[in-house]
Amino acid sequence: MKTDVLVVGSLNFDILIKQSRLPFIGETFNGEDLYQMPGGKGGNQAVQCARLGLNVRMVGCVGEDLFGQELIKSLEENHISCFDIKQCGASGLGLVQILQDGNYCSTIIKGANYHLDVRDIKDDFFADAPLVILQSEIPENVVKKVVDRARHHNCIILLNNAPARFIEDEMLSKVDFLVINETEASFMLGYQVNTPEDAFKAAATLKGRVRKSVIITLGEKGSVVISDEVNNHFPAVKCDNVVDATGAGDSYIGALSYGIIKNLPLAESIRFASEVSAYSVQNYGGQGSFPTLEKLQAFPEYS
């Protein structure tokens, strides 16, 4: 099978608790509902790509436990190649608290994700992969090696620096698309990024460090894009039924990747990504909330 997208990244099993507010220090607080489902930024982005019809190859590590089995099962059910996922130790976990307005906070247990090693990255991964997607939930030296080998093979590189960590300019200079949210942009630049105006300033600074494009997502405030072909603020798609923003950024990246593979103009890809992520926030969880092309009736031309 031809590979459209190679995703090298994290696989976490998510435990989501719906609750009215966060507890105070020392307080025992009753949650309302519990959801358990496969997640992790790498797995989520891979699933959204696959649900939009792309052929996806996943490289990562899960635990030798029931969580690991469920993570692989979800990928296989979405027709993702899992031959390069190894099993070692205990699976990574995501503990997510979902509030009434759909916002969330999460704590990640790295687990098996940090058993992924540079020796697991093979040159043949990149030979037929036009697009490589990475995040920052796996070891830094693994990300660096993937970027180096992908650049050597002239792959398009999309880096989602989440959770944010320091990245040397040498590595950033090999990245085609840097996609981050306002919190990650704030970390990378050392000042608060809250508004579209802040994001324009941040994206303009970061644009000089990457090959093509910087995209900063701002949740309900939309996204800001600076590239050689686009310099614009894209409003978020209006959504009256937000229940859970978990995985919305991953859904956005999966849809953006679809646009890249289909050679759509960047502005059109961004609008499509906004529509897809808006769909995802209307359902609980990450992967289970991600739409297929058939469900995106607002975009029948992509079906």
Coordinates of all heavy atoms in Angstrom, one line a residue, residues 76-153:
E76 N -5.8 0.0 13.8 CA -6.1 -1.0 12.8 C -7.5 -0.9 12.3 O -7.7 -1.0 11.1 CB -5.8 -2.4 13.4 CG -4.4 -2.8 13.6 CD -4.2 -4.1 14.2 OE1 -5.1 -4.6 14.8 OE2 -3.0 -4.7 14.1
E77 N -8.4 -0.5 13.2 CA -9.8 -0.3 12.7 C -9.9 0.9 11.8 O -10.9 0.9 11.0 CB -10.7 -0.1 14.0 CG -10.9 -1.4 14.8 CD -11.7 -1.2 16.0 OE1 -11.9 0.0 16.4 OE2 -12.2 -2.2 16.6
N78 N -9.0 1.8 11.9 CA -9.0 2.9 11.0 C -8.0 2.7 9.8 O -7.6 3.7 9.1 CB -8.6 4.2 11.7 CG -9.7 4.7 12.6 OD1 -10.6 5.4 12.1 ND2 -9.7 4.4 13.9
H79 N -7.6 1.5 9.6 CA -6.8 1.0 8.4 C -5.4 1.7 8.4 O -4.9 2.0 7.3 CB -7.6 1.3 7.1 CG -9.0 0.8 7.1 ND1 -9.3 -0.5 7.2 CD2 -10.2 1.5 7.2 CE1 -10.6 -0.7 7.2 NE2 -11.2 0.5 7.2
I80 N -4.8 1.9 9.5 CA -3.5 2.5 9.7 C -2.5 1.3 9.8 O -2.7 0.4 10.5 CB -3.4 3.4 10.9 CG1 -4.3 4.6 10.7 CG2 -2.0 3.8 11.2 CD1 -4.6 5.5 11.9
S81 N -1.4 1.4 9.1 CA -0.3 0.4 9.2 C 0.3 0.5 10.5 O 0.9 1.6 10.9 CB 0.7 0.7 8.1 OG 1.8 -0.2 8.3
C82 N 0.3 -0.6 11.3 CA 0.9 -0.7 12.6 C 2.1 -1.6 12.8 O 2.5 -1.9 13.9 CB -0.2 -1.2 13.6 SG -1.7 -0.1 13.7
F83 N 2.7 -2.0 11.7 CA 3.8 -2.9 11.7 C 5.0 -2.3 12.4 O 5.9 -3.1 12.9 CB 4.2 -3.4 10.3 CG 3.1 -4.2 9.6 CD1 2.4 -3.6 8.5 CD2 2.7 -5.4 10.0 CE1 1.4 -4.3 7.9 CE2 1.7 -6.2 9.4 CZ 1.0 -5.6 8.4
D84 N 5.1 -1.0 12.5 CA 6.3 -0.3 13.1 C 6.0 0.2 14.4 O 6.7 1.1 14.9 CB 6.8 0.8 12.1 CG 7.0 0.2 10.7 OD1 7.9 -0.7 10.6 OD2 6.4 0.7 9.8
I85 N 5.0 -0.3 15.1 CA 4.7 0.0 16.5 C 5.2 -1.1 17.4 O 4.8 -2.2 17.2 CB 3.2 0.2 16.7 CG1 2.6 1.4 15.9 CG2 2.9 0.5 18.2 CD1 1.2 1.5 16.0
K86 N 6.1 -0.7 18.3 CA 6.7 -1.8 19.2 C 6.0 -1.7 20.5 O 5.2 -0.7 20.8 CB 8.2 -1.6 19.3 CG 8.6 -0.4 20.2 CD 10.2 -0.5 20.3 CE 10.7 0.6 21.3 NZ 12.1 0.6 21.5
Q87 N 6.1 -2.8 21.3 CA 5.5 -2.9 22.6 C 6.6 -3.0 23.6 O 7.5 -3.9 23.5 CB 4.5 -4.0 22.6 CG 3.3 -3.8 21.7 CD 2.3 -5.0 21.9 OE1 2.3 -5.9 21.1 NE2 1.4 -4.8 22.8
C88 N 6.5 -2.2 24.7 CA 7.5 -2.2 25.7 C 7.0 -1.5 27.0 O 6.4 -0.4 26.9 CB 8.8 -1.5 25.2 SG 10.2 -1.5 26.4
G89 N 7.1 -2.2 28.1 CA 6.7 -1.5 29.4 C 5.2 -1.3 29.5 O 4.4 -2.0 29.0
A90 N 4.9 -0.1 30.1 CA 3.5 0.3 30.4 C 3.1 1.4 29.4 O 3.9 2.3 29.1 CB 3.3 0.7 31.8
S91 N 1.9 1.3 28.9 CA 1.4 2.3 27.9 C 1.4 3.7 28.5 O 1.2 3.9 29.7 CB 0.0 2.0 27.4 OG 0.1 0.8 26.7
G92 N 1.6 4.7 27.7 CA 1.3 6.1 28.1 C -0.1 6.3 28.3 O -1.0 5.7 27.7
L93 N -0.4 7.3 29.3 CA -1.8 7.6 29.7 C -2.0 9.1 29.6 O -1.1 9.9 29.8 CB -2.1 7.1 31.1 CG -2.0 5.6 31.4 CD1 -2.3 5.3 32.8 CD2 -3.1 4.9 30.5
G94 N -3.2 9.4 29.3 CA -3.7 10.8 29.3 C -4.8 10.9 30.3 O -5.8 10.3 30.1
L95 N -4.7 11.7 31.3 CA -5.7 11.9 32.3 C -6.3 13.3 32.0 O -5.7 14.3 32.2 CB -5.2 11.9 33.7 CG -4.4 10.6 34.0 CD1 -3.8 10.6 35.4 CD2 -5.2 9.3 33.8
V96 N -7.6 13.4 31.5 CA -8.2 14.6 31.0 C -9.4 15.0 31.8 O -10.3 14.2 32.1 CB -8.6 14.4 29.5 CG1 -9.1 15.7 28.9 CG2 -7.4 13.8 28.7
Q97 N -9.4 16.3 32.2 CA -10.6 16.8 32.9 C -11.3 17.8 32.0 O -10.8 18.7 31.5 CB -10.2 17.5 34.2 CG -9.6 16.5 35.2 CD -8.8 17.2 36.3 OE1 -7.8 17.9 36.1 NE2 -9.3 17.0 37.6
I98 N -12.6 17.4 31.7 CA -13.4 18.2 30.7 C -14.4 19.1 31.5 O -15.2 18.5 32.3 CB -14.2 17.3 29.8 CG1 -13.2 16.3 29.1 CG2 -14.9 18.1 28.7 CD1 -13.9 15.2 28.4
L99 N -14.4 20.4 31.3 CA -15.3 21.3 32.0 C -16.6 21.6 31.3 O -16.7 21.1 30.1 CB -14.5 22.6 32.3 CG -13.2 22.4 33.1 CD1 -12.5 23.7 33.4 CD2 -13.4 21.6 34.3
Q100 N -17.5 22.2 31.9 CA -18.8 22.4 31.3 C -18.8 23.2 30.0 O -19.6 22.9 29.1 CB -19.7 23.2 32.3 CG -20.2 22.3 33.5 CD -21.1 23.1 34.4 OE1 -20.9 24.3 34.6 NE2 -22.0 22.4 35.0
D101 N -17.8 24.1 29.8 CA -17.8 24.8 28.5 C -17.0 24.1 27.4 O -16.8 24.7 26.3 CB -17.2 26.2 28.8 CG -15.7 26.2 29.3 OD1 -15.2 25.0 29.4 OD2 -15.1 27.2 29.5
G102 N -16.6 22.9 27.7 CA -15.9 22.1 26.7 C -14.4 22.2 26.8 O -13.7 21.5 26.1
N103 N -13.9 23.2 27.5 CA -12.4 23.3 27.7 C -11.9 22.2 28.6 O -12.7 21.5 29.3 CB -12.1 24.7 28.4 CG -12.1 25.8 27.4 OD1 -11.7 25.7 26.2 ND2 -12.7 26.9 27.8
Y104 N -10.6 22.0 28.5 CA -10.1 20.8 29.3 C -8.7 21.1 29.7 O -8.0 22.1 29.3 CB -10.1 19.6 28.4 CG -9.0 19.7 27.3 CD1 -7.8 19.1 27.4 CD2 -9.3 20.3 26.1 CE1 -6.8 19.1 26.4 CE2 -8.3 20.4 25.1 CZ -7.1 19.8 25.3 OH -6.1 19.9 24.3
C105 N -8.2 20.3 30.7 CA -6.8 20.3 31.0 C -6.4 18.8 31.1 O -7.3 18.0 31.4 CB -6.5 21.1 32.3 SG -7.4 20.5 33.7
S106 N -5.1 18.5 31.0 CA -4.7 17.1 31.0 C -3.4 16.9 31.6 O -2.5 17.8 31.6 CB -4.8 16.5 29.5 OG -3.9 17.3 28.7
T107 N -3.2 15.7 32.1 CA -1.8 15.3 32.6 C -1.5 14.1 31.8 O -2.2 13.1 31.7 CB -1.9 15.0 34.1 OG1 -2.3 16.2 34.8 CG2 -0.5 14.5 34.6
I108 N -0.2 14.1 31.3 CA 0.2 13.0 30.5 C 1.3 12.1 31.2 O 2.2 12.7 31.8 CB 0.9 13.5 29.1 CG1 -0.2 14.3 28.4 CG2 1.4 12.3 28.3 CD1 -1.4 13.6 28.0
I109 N 1.1 10.8 31.2 CA 2.1 9.9 31.7 C 2.8 9.3 30.5 O 2.2 8.7 29.6 CB 1.4 8.7 32.5 CG1 0.5 9.3 33.6 CG2 2.5 7.8 33.1 CD1 1.2 10.1 34.6
K110 N 4.1 9.6 30.4 CA 4.9 9.3 29.1 C 4.8 7.8 28.8 O 4.6 7.4 27.7 CB 6.3 9.8 29.3 CG 6.5 11.3 29.4 CD 7.9 11.6 29.7 CE 8.1 13.1 29.9 NZ 9.5 13.5 30.2
G111 N 5.1 7.0 29.8 CA 5.1 5.5 29.6 C 5.9 5.1 28.4 O 7.0 5.5 28.2
A112 N 5.3 4.1 27.7 CA 6.0 3.5 26.6 C 6.5 4.5 25.5 O 7.4 4.2 24.7 CB 5.2 2.4 25.9
N113 N 5.9 5.6 25.4 CA 6.3 6.6 24.3 C 7.8 6.9 24.4 O 8.4 7.2 23.4 CB 5.4 7.9 24.5 CG 4.0 7.7 24.1 OD1 3.7 7.3 23.0 ND2 3.1 7.9 25.1
Y114 N 8.3 6.9 25.6 CA 9.7 7.2 25.8 C 10.6 6.0 25.7 O 11.8 6.1 26.0 CB 9.9 8.0 27.1 CG 9.8 9.5 26.8 CD1 8.7 10.1 26.3 CD2 10.9 10.3 27.0 CE1 8.6 11.4 26.0 CE2 10.9 11.7 26.7 CZ 9.7 12.3 26.2 OH 9.6 13.6 25.9
H115 N 10.0 4.9 25.3 CA 10.9 3.7 25.0 C 11.2 3.7 23.5 O 11.9 2.9 23.0 CB 10.2 2.4 25.4 CG 10.1 2.2 26.9 ND1 11.3 2.2 27.7 CD2 9.1 2.0 27.7 CE1 10.9 2.0 28.9 NE2 9.6 1.9 29.0
L116 N 10.5 4.6 22.7 CA 10.8 4.8 21.3 C 12.3 5.3 21.2 O 12.6 6.2 21.9 CB 9.9 5.7 20.6 CG 9.9 5.7 19.1 CD1 9.5 4.4 18.5 CD2 9.0 6.8 18.6
D117 N 13.1 4.6 20.4 CA 14.5 4.9 20.3 C 15.0 5.3 18.9 O 14.3 4.9 17.9 CB 15.3 3.6 20.8 CG 16.7 3.9 21.0 OD1 17.1 4.4 22.1 OD2 17.5 3.6 20.1
V118 N 16.1 6.0 18.8 CA 16.6 6.4 17.5 C 16.8 5.1 16.6 O 16.7 5.2 15.4 CB 17.8 7.2 17.6 CG1 17.5 8.6 18.2 CG2 18.9 6.5 18.4
R119 N 17.1 4.0 17.3 CA 17.4 2.8 16.5 C 16.1 2.2 15.9 O 16.2 1.3 15.0 CB 18.0 1.7 17.4 CG 19.4 2.0 17.9 CD 19.9 1.1 19.0 NE 19.1 1.3 20.2 CZ 19.4 0.7 21.4 NH1 20.4 -0.1 21.5 NH2 18.6 1.0 22.4
D120 N 15.0 2.7 16.3 CA 13.7 2.3 15.8 C 13.3 3.0 14.5 O 12.4 2.7 13.8 CB 12.5 2.5 16.8 CG 12.7 1.7 18.1 OD1 13.1 0.5 18.0 OD2 12.5 2.3 19.1
I121 N 14.1 4.1 14.2 CA 13.8 4.9 13.0 C 14.6 4.4 11.8 O 15.9 4.5 11.8 CB 14.1 6.4 13.3 CG1 13.4 6.8 14.6 CG2 13.8 7.2 12.1 CD1 11.9 6.6 14.5
K122 N 14.0 3.8 10.8 CA 14.6 3.2 9.7 C 14.5 4.1 8.5 O 13.5 4.7 8.2 CB 14.0 1.8 9.4 CG 13.9 0.9 10.6 CD 15.2 0.6 11.3 CE 15.0 -0.4 12.4 NZ 16.3 -0.6 13.2
D123 N 15.5 4.1 7.6 CA 15.6 4.9 6.4 C 14.4 4.6 5.5 O 13.9 5.5 4.8 CB 16.9 4.8 5.7 CG 17.7 6.1 5.7 OD1 17.5 6.9 6.7 OD2 18.4 6.4 4.7
D124 N 14.0 3.3 5.4 CA 13.0 2.9 4.5 C 11.6 3.5 4.9 O 10.7 3.5 4.0 CB 12.9 1.4 4.3 CG 12.5 0.7 5.6 OD1 12.3 1.3 6.6 OD2 12.3 -0.6 5.5
F125 N 11.5 4.0 6.1 CA 10.2 4.7 6.4 C 9.9 5.9 5.5 O 8.8 6.2 5.3 CB 10.3 5.2 7.9 CG 10.3 4.2 9.0 CD1 10.5 4.6 10.3 CD2 10.1 2.8 8.7 CE1 10.6 3.6 11.3 CE2 10.2 1.9 9.7 CZ 10.4 2.3 11.0
F126 N 11.0 6.5 5.1 CA 10.8 7.8 4.4 C 10.8 7.7 2.9 O 10.5 8.7 2.2 CB 11.9 8.8 4.8 CG 12.1 8.8 6.3 CD1 13.0 8.1 7.0 CD2 11.3 9.7 7.0 CE1 13.1 8.1 8.4 CE2 11.4 9.8 8.4 CZ 12.3 9.0 9.1
A127 N 11.2 6.5 2.4 CA 11.4 6.4 0.9 C 10.1 6.7 0.1 O 10.2 7.3 -1.0 CB 11.9 5.0 0.6
D128 N 8.9 6.3 0.7 CA 7.7 6.6 -0.1 C 6.7 7.4 0.7 O 5.5 7.2 0.5 CB 7.1 5.2 -0.5 CG 6.6 4.4 0.7 OD1 7.0 4.7 1.8 OD2 5.9 3.4 0.5
A129 N 7.1 8.2 1.6 CA 6.2 9.0 2.4 C 6.4 10.5 2.1 O 7.3 11.1 2.5 CB 6.6 8.8 3.9
P130 N 5.4 11.0 1.3 CA 5.6 12.5 0.9 C 5.4 13.4 2.1 O 6.0 14.5 2.1 CB 4.4 12.7 0.0 CG 3.5 11.5 0.2 CD 4.3 10.4 0.7
L131 N 4.7 13.0 3.2 CA 4.5 13.9 4.3 C 4.8 13.1 5.6 O 4.4 12.0 5.9 CB 3.1 14.4 4.4 CG 2.6 15.2 5.6 CD1 3.4 16.5 5.7 CD2 1.1 15.5 5.6
V132 N 5.6 13.8 6.5 CA 6.0 13.2 7.8 C 5.4 14.2 8.9 O 5.7 15.4 8.9 CB 7.5 13.1 8.0 CG1 7.9 12.6 9.4 CG2 8.0 12.1 6.9
I133 N 4.7 13.6 9.8 CA 4.1 14.4 10.9 C 4.8 14.0 12.3 O 4.9 12.8 12.6 CB 2.6 14.2 11.0 CG1 1.9 14.5 9.7 CG2 2.0 14.9 12.2 CD1 0.4 14.3 9.7
L134 N 5.1 15.0 13.1 CA 5.8 14.7 14.4 C 5.1 15.6 15.4 O 4.6 16.7 15.1 CB 7.3 15.1 14.3 CG 8.1 14.2 13.4 CD1 9.2 15.1 12.7 CD2 8.8 13.1 14.2
Q135 N 5.3 15.2 16.7 CA 4.9 16.0 17.8 C 6.0 16.0 18.9 O 7.1 15.4 18.5 CB 3.6 15.5 18.5 CG 2.5 15.0 17.5 CD 2.8 13.6 17.0 OE1 3.3 12.8 17.8 NE2 2.5 13.4 15.8
S136 N 5.8 16.4 20.1 CA 6.8 16.5 21.1 C 6.5 15.6 22.3 O 6.9 15.9 23.4 CB 7.1 17.9 21.5 OG 7.6 18.7 20.4
E137 N 5.7 14.6 22.1 CA 5.4 13.6 23.2 C 6.3 12.4 23.1 O 6.0 11.4 23.8 CB 3.9 13.2 23.1 CG 3.0 14.3 23.6 CD 1.5 13.9 23.7 OE1 1.1 13.0 22.9 OE2 0.8 14.5 24.5
I138 N 7.3 12.4 22.3 CA 8.3 11.3 22.2 C 9.7 11.9 22.4 O 9.8 13.2 22.4 CB 8.2 10.6 20.8 CG1 8.4 11.6 19.7 CG2 6.9 9.8 20.7 CD1 8.5 10.9 18.3
P139 N 10.7 11.1 22.7 CA 12.0 11.7 23.0 C 12.6 12.7 22.0 O 12.4 12.5 20.8 CB 12.9 10.4 23.1 CG 12.0 9.3 23.5 CD 10.7 9.6 22.8
E140 N 13.2 13.7 22.4 CA 13.7 14.7 21.6 C 14.7 14.2 20.5 O 14.7 14.7 19.4 CB 14.4 15.8 22.5 CG 14.9 17.0 21.7 CD 15.5 18.1 22.6 OE1 15.4 17.9 23.9 OE2 16.0 19.1 22.1
N141 N 15.6 13.3 20.9 CA 16.6 12.8 20.0 C 15.9 12.0 18.9 O 16.4 11.9 17.7 CB 17.7 12.0 20.7 CG 17.1 10.7 21.3 OD1 16.0 10.6 21.7 ND2 18.0 9.7 21.6
V142 N 14.7 11.4 19.1 CA 14.0 10.6 18.1 C 13.4 11.6 17.1 O 13.5 11.4 15.9 CB 12.9 9.8 18.7 CG1 12.1 9.1 17.6 CG2 13.5 8.7 19.6
V143 N 12.8 12.7 17.6 CA 12.3 13.7 16.7 C 13.4 14.3 15.8 O 13.2 14.5 14.6 CB 11.6 14.9 17.6 CG1 11.2 16.0 16.7 CG2 10.4 14.3 18.3
K144 N 14.5 14.6 16.4 CA 15.6 15.1 15.7 C 16.1 14.2 14.5 O 16.3 14.6 13.4 CB 16.8 15.4 16.6 CG 18.0 16.2 15.9 CD 19.1 16.5 16.9 CE 20.2 17.3 16.2 NZ 20.8 16.7 15.0
K145 N 16.2 12.9 14.9 CA 16.6 12.0 13.8 C 15.5 11.9 12.7 O 15.9 11.8 11.5 CB 16.8 10.6 14.4 CG 17.3 9.6 13.3 CD 17.7 8.3 13.9 CE 18.2 7.3 12.7 NZ 18.7 6.0 13.2
V146 N 14.3 11.9 13.1 CA 13.2 11.8 12.1 C 13.3 13.0 11.2 O 13.2 12.9 9.9 CB 11.8 11.7 12.7 CG1 10.7 11.8 11.7 CG2 11.7 10.3 13.5
V147 N 13.4 14.2 11.7 CA 13.5 15.4 10.9 C 14.7 15.3 10.0 O 14.6 15.6 8.8 CB 13.6 16.6 11.8 CG1 14.0 17.9 11.0 CG2 12.3 16.9 12.6
D148 N 15.9 14.9 10.5 CA 17.1 14.8 9.7 C 16.9 13.8 8.5 O 17.2 14.1 7.3 CB 18.3 14.3 10.5 CG 18.8 15.3 11.4 OD1 18.5 16.5 11.2 OD2 19.5 15.0 12.4
R149 N 16.3 12.6 8.8 CA 16.1 11.6 7.7 C 15.0 12.0 6.7 O 15.1 11.8 5.5 CB 15.8 10.2 8.3 CG 16.8 9.7 9.2 CD 18.3 10.0 8.8 NE 18.5 9.4 7.5 CZ 19.5 9.8 6.6 NH1 20.3 10.8 7.0 NH2 19.7 9.2 5.5
A150 N 14.0 12.7 7.3 CA 12.9 13.1 6.4 C 13.4 14.2 5.4 O 13.1 14.2 4.2 CB 11.7 13.6 7.2
R151 N 14.2 15.1 5.9 CA 14.8 16.2 5.1 C 15.7 15.6 4.0 O 15.7 16.0 2.9 CB 15.6 17.2 6.0 CG 16.2 18.3 5.3 CD 15.2 19.5 5.0 NE 14.3 19.2 3.9 CZ 12.9 19.2 3.9 NH1 12.3 19.5 5.1 NH2 12.2 19.0 2.9
H152 N 16.5 14.5 4.4 CA 17.4 13.9 3.5 C 16.6 13.2 2.3 O 17.1 13.2 1.2 CB 18.2 12.8 4.2 CG 19.0 11.9 3.3 ND1 20.3 12.4 2.9 CD2 18.9 10.7 2.8 CE1 20.8 11.4 2.1 NE2 20.0 10.4 2.0
H153 N 15.4 12.7 2.6 CA 14.6 12.1 1.6 C 13.6 13.1 1.0 O 12.7 12.6 0.2 CB 13.8 10.9 2.2 CG 14.7 9.7 2.5 ND1 14.9 8.8 1.6 CD2 15.4 9.4 3.6 CE1 15.7 7.8 2.1 NE2 16.0 8.2 3.4

